Amino acid sequence: MIGVFLLIPVLLMAVYSFLTKEFRGGVIWDFTLAAYDQFFFNRGLFGDEPPVIEWTYISIFWRSIWQAALATVACLLVGFPTAWFIATRPPSQRSVWLFLITIPYWVNLLIRTVSLKFLIRDNGPLNEFLMGLGVITDPLPLVNTNLAVQLGLFYSYLPFMVLPIYAAVERYNFALSEAAADLYAPRWTILREVVLPVVKPGVVAGCLLVFVPSLGAFLAPDLLGGAKTYMIGSLIDEQFKGSQGNWPFGAAVAVVLMTLVLIALFLQARAAAKGARE
Amino acid sequence: MKGVRHYPGFLGITIACLVVLYAPLIVVTIYSFNDSNSITSWGGFSWRWYADVFTGPEADRFAAAAWNSITIAFLAATASTAIAVAAALAMIRGGRFKGKSATYALINLPLLVPEIVTAVATLIFFSTIGLTTGYLTILIAHITFCIPFAYLPIAARLSGIEETYEQAARDLYATRAQAFWLILLPLLMPGVISGYLLAFIISLDDFIITNFVKGAGMETLPTAIFGSVKQGIKPNIMAISTLMLAVSVLFVTLSYLVNRIGQKTRT
């Protein structure tokens, strides 16, 4: 089932990216590199000028990668201590803490994103609360900024970071930390030099699980961001909507996105294989 | 020795983490009971926006969308759970077979590819084979991406059940079918229920893929909500969001409890 309805479609998508676009959406079965050409080069309005590098789409990708990387780091900084804290509770309490972390993950992402927008909008509860406290005098303009998108990505995918790290820390043998402590290693040195190398697979898995969906995120940038925070997800979405769409170009963007993801997965697999050999 | 487990500030970060995760949901739930036409000011407690969801001007649209969402989730969860059971049996009981690790990668593929890529690929696939986008295309797409979510708890449960149970049944002259239906499936049930509930929730919640393959005029609850939100967040949207929130929490709690009972009866 997955073979038919996922693998074949992905291959078809790659084929489509080499076809010619038809106006009103759809394609003509004529092979061309036009979609990729449009992605990388600008040949002027009529296509007859010498090609110069087209920065529009590359910069959208660059912004997406940057945003996804930032979200990953933010999730790691919050997710690791959380996972550690839960894994060091008595076993009977752990499942309750974990349950609390997983509930938001199962709540509709659209509803969560809308809720976040409601909370942080200009006249929203967060701004009223902060103004009530006297921390700020004017509402913080959060919506339509990169910060709002960043917050949305962080909020969307935080549970993905906590769960794999938790699984790794739960299996961690604390005797290793105790041995290091007996040899007078400071607390944070133990965490960095002893714990981290052991739980690294969980950390890497968590980072991938945040980075990959953040890179292709659609809802957070679309609802919380504006024109200046445009990310890959919206770019792809736009190519398949209405008569302005360009299916081969959308497919080409999706292929580039998937290539990036596969590179990330490949690097992780190689690191894991290297880790296993050591 | 407790010292090496404890790091200062980790409790605070955990609390902050939960606050960030829950604050937006709690705020929207509170404001869904707001008796005011404006979403900004608080006008007292009221159920009026819940009444609006069921009887207001948009009630028909939401009812149709909810019906689509629920029937698709029901069918997709049923089909994907059945496929996931078959896949788990093949992977865990089937011994070694050619392409096993490739099959494993394939089952988990939807978890690794960004959803928007799956959405594009699925739309192109339906367009190529000439299937008009609508209810059927949504259903097929949902069955596909629900399989890994149904598979994980079922496979976890199955790998904890020793093969001796089926062998004992077979020794007592049970047919293969009887051994499966009377012995293995009841043992597997906590995993199956858990997988079914997760698949149901995943289908009910999906927006991105549905939005690509739904076609014109066809709506599920998330796409209907998205359409409304594009024009601004209205109070009735908060009421409907709170209702969906309640359904999600209910299902996940059920799945969690079933799993817990399953762990107690672990074989």
Side-chain angles (χ1 to χ4, degrees), chain B residues 70-265:
Chain B
I70 290 167
T71 53
I72 286 171
F74 173 74
L75 294 171
T78 309
S80 61
T81 307
I83 294 167
V85 169
L89 284 174
M91 292 297 290
I92 292 161
R93 285 292 192 267
R96 301 176 72 84
F97 60 89
K98 211 175 155 195
K100 188 167 179 172
S101 56
T103 313
Y104 183 77
L106 201 58
I107 291 172
N108 289 301
L109 192 60
L111 298 175
L112 295 174
V113 179
E115 219 185 334
I116 194 123
V117 173
T118 315
V120 169
T122 314
L123 174 66
I124 285 175
F125 176 70
F126 288 141
S127 160
T128 310
I129 61 172
L131 210 53
T132 318
T133 48
Y135 192 90
L136 183 65
T137 50
I138 301 180
L139 182 60
I140 295 173
H142 279 222
I143 293 172
T144 309
F145 69 67
C146 283
I147 293 172
F149 293 96
Y151 176 82
L152 291 175
I154 293 171
R157 177 79 188 170
L158 184 61
S159 56
I161 302 173
E162 283 175 43
E163 230 166 317
T164 42
Y165 289 91
E166 296 134 271
Q167 283 161 358
R170 299 278 284 143
D171 285 346
L172 297 167
Y173 299 103
T175 62
R176 284 184 75 92
Q178 281 172 325
F180 172 73
W181 287 106
L182 299 176
I183 307 297
L184 188 58
L185 197 59
L187 286 170
L188 199 55
M189 225 37 186
V192 172
I193 296 174
S194 192
Y196 184 93
L197 294 173
L198 294 185
F200 192 93
I201 275 295
I202 289 288
S203 165
L204 204 59
D205 281 358
D206 179 73
F207 169 73
I208 293 175
I209 294 172
T210 311
N211 190 36
F212 264 76
V213 301
K214 74 185 173 66
M218 183 72 195
E219 299 277 12
T220 64
L221 265 184
T223 63
I225 291 175
F226 185 78
S228 290
V229 168
K230 273 285 169 184
Q231 283 125 40
I233 305 174
K234 282 175 287 185
N236 62 345
I237 291 299
M238 285 193 267
I240 213 168
S241 298
T242 307
L243 289 173
M244 286 185 75
L245 191 82
V247 171
S248 297
V249 172
L250 182 74
F251 267 76
V252 178
T253 311
L254 278 178
S255 167
Y256 171 77
L257 291 177
V258 169
N259 239 331
R260 257 198 127 146
I261 295 163
Q263 263 159 22
K264 281 194 188 123
T265 62

Side-chain angles (χ1 to χ4, degrees), chain A:
Chain A
M1 185 85 183
I2 291 187
V4 175
F5 290 109
L6 193 66
L7 203 59
I8 293 173
V10 167
L11 296 175
L12 257 176
M13 178 179 80
V15 173
Y16 259 60
S17 69
F18 293 104
L19 297 180
T20 308
K21 81 163 171 175
E22 188 186 21
F23 296 97
R24 304 184 311 274
V27 286
I28 300 164
W29 283 82
D30 240 341
F31 285 90
T32 162
L33 283 170
Y36 292 95
D37 188 75
Q38 183 186 345
F39 188 90
F40 290 109
F41 300 110
N42 180 357
R43 293 175 192 272
L45 195 55
F46 302 103
D48 50 1
E49 290 165 34
V52 287
I53 291 182
E54 169 67 71
W55 289 107
T56 316
Y57 306 115
I58 296 172
S59 65
I60 290 173
F61 263 75
W62 177 242
R63 181 188 301 130
S64 302
I65 293 171
W66 177 240
Q67 285 278 36
L70 268 181
T72 309
V73 172
C75 284
L76 182 61
L77 289 178
V78 173
F80 188 90
T82 305
W84 179 276
F85 177 80
I86 296 173
T88 52
R89 293 305 93 198
S92 57
Q93 289 177 20
R94 279 181 212 163
S95 61
V96 177
W97 283 101
L98 268 188
F99 185 57
L100 284 175
I101 296 283
T102 39
I103 284 182
Y105 164 65
W106 294 112
V107 172
N108 196 320
L109 184 59
L110 171 65
I111 288 179
R112 287 201 287 151
T113 312
V114 171
S115 305
L116 185 63
K117 185 171 185 180
F118 178 77
L119 180 67
I120 66 170
R121 71 187 201 286
D122 290 358
N123 304 316
L126 180 69
N127 271 318
E128 300 220 321
F129 177 70
L130 290 176
M131 291 203 301
L133 283 180
V135 182
I136 50 172
T137 47
D138 295 310
L140 294 172
L142 282 170
V143 174
N144 296 347
T145 62
N146 279 317
L147 183 64
V149 176
Q150 187 53 234
L151 200 60
L153 294 176
F154 170 76
Y155 169 63
S156 303
Y157 304 117
L158 182 58
F160 287 163
M161 183 63 88
V162 176
L163 297 177
I165 297 181
Y166 165 80
V169 175
E170 200 199 15
R171 284 196 304 266
Y172 174 69
N173 182 358
F174 284 95
L176 293 173
S177 286
E178 281 159 21
D182 287 345
L183 297 169
Y184 301 103
R187 197 184 282 284
W188 297 100
T189 313
I190 298 176
L191 193 64
R192 202 174 58 239
E193 303 287 335
V194 181
V195 178
L196 215 52
V198 179
V199 300
K200 202 171 143 208
V203 173
V204 173
C207 288
L208 266 181
L209 284 175
V210 174
F211 184 77
V212 168
S214 297
L215 197 58
F218 170 71
L219 284 172
D222 196 72
L223 288 172
L224 299 166
K228 283 188 186 153
T229 61
Y230 213 68
M231 281 174 61
I232 304 173
S234 309
L235 178 65
I236 295 176
D237 183 71
E238 203 174 56
Q239 307 309 322
F240 291 91
K241 293 289 139 68
S243 55
Q244 299 297 314
N246 181 342
W247 283 36
F249 184 63
V253 177
V255 167
V256 176
L257 170 61
M258 210 168 104
T259 311
L260 283 178
V261 169
L262 290 178
I263 290 171
L265 290 175
F266 173 75
L267 289 176
Q268 187 256 340
R270 216 179 57 172
K274 199 176 145 212
R277 272 202 308 273
E278 273 167 7

